Amino acid sequence: MLLLWRSRCLGRALGRSLRALRQGNCTLARCSLSGVAGSQALAYTNSRKLVVNSSSVFTVRYFRTTAVRRDDVVTVNTPAFAESVTEGDVRWEKAVGDTVAEDEVVCEIETDKTSVQVPAPAAGVIEALLVPDGGKVEGGTPLFKLRKTGAAPAKAKPAAAPPPPAAPEPVAAAAPPPAAAPIPTTMPPVPPVSTQPIDSKPVSAVKPAAAPAAAPPGEAVPSKGARSEHRVKMNRMRQRIAQRLKEAQNTCAMLTTFNEIDMSNIREMRAIHKDPFLKKHNLKLGFMSAFVKAAAFALQDQPVVNAVIDDTTKEIVYRDYVDISVAVATPRGLVVPVVRNVENMNFADIERAIYELGEKARKNELAVEDMDGGTFTISNGGVFGSLFGTPIINPPQSAILGMHAIFDRPVAVGGKIEVRPMMYVALTYDHRLIDGREAVTFLRKIKAAVEDPRVLLLDL
């Protein structure tokens, strides 16, 4: 009985301790109980004395610990760059005092190849910007300070506009509207025309009208047809593009050869199979996959076009793989993501890879790894309506294929004039490595594979 009575007392003491713990402000607590024989029990919680009628003395002690603070200030650093990127320029999307949600973009770091977005690690308020707008940063450089405030507060709804005051009651009834005038039934008299000649004045005798009054001195008057200009700083990507293109002109002995492709067969094949292709692969069948596959076929036939000169060791590097860079125009500049191992892909694989890389480019999510490498480049200026052009080599590659728009033109087919959908293609190559014979043979190989895709199946 004594043991049962003591266990009941101990249970009551523990229950009171747990209730006191729930009512306290601390999130973590530790209880230590020590039993001492006596006539009454004493318990201390939050510096208060509790009396428990029992034959044992229990001391309950609470140890406060530091709770997780929601208003901590954290410093966000620049993320690590790829090996080929050393620094970038900061472009701020937020200012000091702005409230941001978790994962909301605070700034973008523009590098030579792509832009890196820096999100907020948690919801909070921007305390300080540690780098000026346009400043250069390296990996690990402190960017800004963020005060955590939990979830981002919801924007307050605008207060409802007060109701308009009630219109005062009229003292007297409104006067009735006047009666409508009678509709005339006869035409008005025509004034007589003078028979005397009209007095004319020479142009020199006509005096100019008075000039309008001048505007006050504090106001700017926009002049009609004003010739103004403004300056915008080049971002790092545009600077890098300009530098690389100029290096290509200064280094390579560039020469361009041209040909034209009859797109009748590839158009017919696309018209017949585009719906089943879309149903099976959930992708649209375009012309780009045909040119990429034809280029891979021609590069394997002419491996020198897939090679590159190593200027350091004065050696020619032949690549046994085919990685084709596809030029994509974005608002920030021209990017060239790489479709790798094209020689092992079919049309569906190529279309899927191009679609995924294009979506990344449009969303500004391309990583440096997506654009590194590449043994050959294809640029499609035809999407903008280009009829003819000479592309510039993308160093350190040795050649680039330029596609153009498709136009119906009269051509001689079997001794007859027919209207066919035709496309001009251009191949710019480094004449230091590639001779004219290899370049012309390469371009004719692409022409044959696009005009008749059965050449790819038969390996002709």
Side-chain angles (χ1 to χ4, degrees), residues 43-50 60-62 64:
Y44 296 90
T45 173
N46 293 337
S47 301
R48 289 180 297 174
K49 182 177 180 181
L50 301 179
V60 182
R61 291 180 295 174
Y62 297 93
R64 293 183 178 274

Side-chain angles (χ1 to χ4, degrees), residues 115-185:
S115 295
V116 180
Q117 296 182 342
V118 181
V125 179
I126 304 296
E127 283 282 310
L129 303 180
L130 306 180
V131 179
D133 189 58
K136 291 181 175 58
V137 293
E138 298 178 353
T141 303
L143 284 175
F144 63 94
K145 291 185 178 181
L146 175 72
R147 179 176 296 277
K148 298 181 181 179
T149 57
K155 294 183 179 180
K157 297 182 179 180
E169 297 181 359
V171 179
I183 300 175
T185 57

Side-chain angles (χ1 to χ4, degrees), residues 4-14 52-55 58:
L4 179 60
W5 179 69
R6 286 189 174 184
S7 64
R8 288 178 180 177
C9 294
L10 180 60
R12 294 192 190 99
L14 288 176
V52 183
N53 294 326
S54 64
S55 61
F58 297 94

